[in-house]
Amino acid sequence: AQSVTQLGSHVSVSEGALVLLRCNYSSSVPPYLFWYVQYPNQGLQLLLKYTSAATLVKGINGFEAEFKKSETSFHLTKPSAHMSDAAEYFCAVSLYNQGGKLIFGQGTELSVKP
Amino acid sequence: KAGVTQTPRYLIKTRGQQVTLSCSPISGHRSVSWYQQTPGQGLQFLFEYFSETQRNKGNFPGRFSGRQFSNSRSEMNVSTLELGDSALYLCASSPQEGLVGYFGPGTRLTVL
């Protein structure tokens, strides 16, 4: 069965610093991988997704993630944090034959200090 | 295009009652998925509907049920509410079965 582990329930960075949110997955078959962001009292917004094309995926708001099969990782990065990036971030996995069923990690809350 | 709409946004019920939540997908989308979000268990998949048929189901008791109408709108029902059912219930719609969806703002259910 597939699973997702996000390292660090809370990450704090200074404005302008590098953002690195870690995600490792476990899957018996090649997965599809996703990063979502959730702002307070809102639903989930898709940042980016990996579906077996390019291993470096660029998303919205300057975020990107790299799929590394050998490390079973899909870490999310952004070169320079902005105050508006403060939110909760979720990594998720799905299998091509499982349709819309997403398995989520526990989430990482990102704080951005001025 | 209007996004995914969920009604009501907030709901308070007591133990033993039942509740029905509604989700209107983005126009033209035919697939709807439901998720439960709690602080303890995180985000968990409930079920997925496409063309009025349940395509996938998560590990939830039979008290949780859903359906989809011919206009793709979906409802989920929880009977005999328990305190642990307090959660944010999120709906996602997508144009086709199996695609990752666009999420609505959720319905916050509180069970007293």
Side-chain angles (χ1 to χ4, degrees), chain B residues 13 29 34 39 49 88 94 96 100 111:
Chain B
K13 292 285 187 180
H29 285 196
W34 288 89
Y49 286 88
L88 180 67
S94 54
Q96 299 175 25
V100 174
V111 182

Side-chain angles (χ1 to χ4, degrees), chain A residues 13 15 17 38 50 81 88 109:
Chain A
V13 300
E15 192 173 20
Q38 186 177 36
Y50 166 77
E88 187 147 24
E109 185 176 355

Side-chain angles (χ1 to χ4, degrees), chain A residues 16-48:
Chain A
L18 171 72
V19 175
L20 171 59
L21 304 182
R22 300 177 188 273
C23 172
N24 287 88
Y25 70 91
S26 171
S27 176
S28 56
V29 297
Y32 298 149
L33 293 159
F34 310 86
W35 275 99
Y36 284 88
V37 61
Q38 186 177 36
Y39 297 99
N41 299 314
Q42 294 189 27
L44 300 173
Q45 181 182 12
L46 179 65
L47 283 175
L48 48 80

Side-chain angles (χ1 to χ4, degrees), chain A residues 4 6 23-24 33-36 74 89-93 103-105:
Chain A
V4 177
Q6 291 183 239
C23 172
N24 287 88
L33 293 159
F34 310 86
W35 275 99
Y36 284 88
F74 191 58
Y89 292 79
F90 294 92
C91 182
V93 64
I103 305 299
F104 286 90

